[in-house]
Amino acid sequence: GSSGINAEYGDSKYNRKFVIMTLLLSIAGILFVIESGTAVSVEVKPTSWCWFEDSFLYQYSSGIYAFADLFEAQRACVQREDCGGITQEPYNHDRFTLRKGPAIRIGRSPTHENSWVECEVDASLSNDEQDWCKFEDSFLYSYLRNAWNFATLSAAHAECSRNSACAGITHEPERNKFTLRRGPDLYNGNLPSGETSWIACTVDHRPDDADVTGLEQNWCTFKNSFLYGYSSGVYAFGDLSEAQEQCALRNDCGGVTQEPYNDHRFTLRKGPALQNEQSPSGETAWVICDSAKRQAGVENWCSFEDSYLYTYSSGNYAFENLSDAQKECALRRDCGGITQEPYNNNRYTLRRGPALQNEQSPSGETAWVLCD
């Protein structure tokens, strides 16, 4: 166990606050932040990430949590207060998901997941063969037996490097001792006891933001549609791209709705359900989707993972392949979209909807809806 640690820390949340104190012009990299409805620039420093194979963190972050690209997931994670790291799901299209943590289960994944956690590379311990990362306010579980207590970090590092049973080092400020730990799990949280841990890991360095143009996401367009509830904070923008970029970074944003009755402003909405073709005022909505590509025929079909529509259509509603289901749905008056059922031989079913329950499926369903 770890000194000063008790059960209450199991409920602690990974907490990082980003406060803009001064507006800076960045030469190395630029990240656009919306403050009082105006785009401003703040300095962004490259971030290092520890990569752990066969590892995972618990619980998805709130809001949009699934990304097709690791860099996009990392960039979103550093903006989230409830994101403790990233876990890649090989069983779910290799998507990268934001996770709350704060504990990372190192080497414990039965499905060979990979995880990344923000870290600070310690140059005093790292060499050409191995990087060591420092995690403040963190600890590893379980003392190593026999020689485990050292007065200096260098002595603890030397012994840990020689001992295959050593998962890392945790410093206990109360005793001012560097202790060898078996782990393998790292509790990476906001601990009042002020412990610090070091782990050998593979380090990925995030590229400078000057090398990217922003979050690359597929946004599907739905005319005469809307989402309920404004997001917290600044939620109205004069430009669609600004609204979309800000939405992807928000915990409570399920999509964007344009209000033709309100100077055509673009508003961030909580959702998460999309009220498809239900707007009485001609609103247009945008929701992040997995594919906005034109499929067979003349219709656009947008796909949404972990999503579904309510209620089977009348008549024959189950099909073995997606293309047949799409062609039939386009001909039905009571078909608002398609839901694939992984629990039912992966069949494709016609659903009435019309509301799309976006990222609300507890059984990993995938939904397709006609979009513009």
Side-chain angles (χ1 to χ4, degrees), residues 219-223 276-277 289 291-304 326 329-330 336-338 368-372:
W219 287 86
C220 286
T221 306
F222 297 89
K223 293 181 179 178
N276 191 20
E277 296 185 352
C289 56
S291 175
K293 296 178 180 178
R294 184 174 295 274
Q295 310 236 355
V298 296
E299 305 285 1
N300 284 329
W301 287 90
C302 291
S303 61
F304 298 86
Q326 289 173 334
C329 183
I338 298 163
W368 288 262
V369 180
L370 281 170
C371 57
D372 297 302

Side-chain angles (χ1 to χ4, degrees), residues 24-200:
L24 300 174
L25 179 62
S26 171
I27 297 176
I30 295 176
L31 172 65
F32 288 101
V33 178
I34 308 302
E35 185 176 274
S36 300
T38 304
V40 296
S41 302
V42 296
E43 184 178 10
V44 176
K45 296 180 180 179
T47 302
S48 296
W49 293 80
C50 256
W51 169 39
F52 299 96
E53 291 186 285
D54 295 324
S55 304
F56 67 96
L57 294 93
Y58 286 113
Q59 288 189 299
Y60 295 127
S61 296
S62 55
I64 297 168
Y65 60 81
F67 298 83
D69 180 77
L70 174 60
F71 175 72
E72 293 174 10
Q74 289 172 338
R75 189 174 179 190
C77 185
V78 297
Q79 300 294 321
R80 300 280 186 90
E81 290 188 357
D82 70 341
C83 183
I86 297 162
T87 296
Q88 184 183 26
E89 301 175 348
Y91 47 83
N92 209 345
H93 307 293
D94 281 319
R95 67 180 187 174
F96 298 89
T97 59
L98 309 191
R99 300 290 183 97
K100 292 182 178 180
I104 176 169
R105 310 285 288 183
I106 300 174
R108 301 288 193 96
S109 172
T111 53
H112 303 295
E113 295 157 307
N114 291 314
S115 290
W116 290 261
V117 179
E118 274 190 278
C119 68
E120 176 187 344
V121 178
D122 193 326
S124 68
L125 304 184
S126 301
N127 53 45
D128 292 338
E129 296 181 357
Q130 182 66 68
D131 285 311
W132 280 76
C133 273
K134 176 182 178 181
F135 297 88
E136 295 183 355
D137 297 324
S138 304
F139 72 92
L140 290 110
Y141 290 95
S142 305
Y143 293 122
L144 200 64
R145 294 181 180 178
N146 301 321
W148 55 270
N149 203 15
F150 296 86
T152 66
L153 176 60
S154 59
H157 171 251
E159 181 60 30
C160 187
S161 299
R162 288 193 293 265
N163 194 328
S164 60
C166 181
I169 302 163
T170 295
H171 177 249
E172 300 176 1
E174 291 183 1
R175 300 191 304 123
N176 195 25
K177 296 294 184 182
F178 296 88
T179 60
L180 306 191
R181 302 292 180 101
R182 287 188 292 135
D185 299 334
L186 171 71
Y187 189 97
N188 188 26
N190 190 14
L191 303 179
S193 52
E195 292 161 305
T196 301
S197 293
W198 290 261
I199 297 180

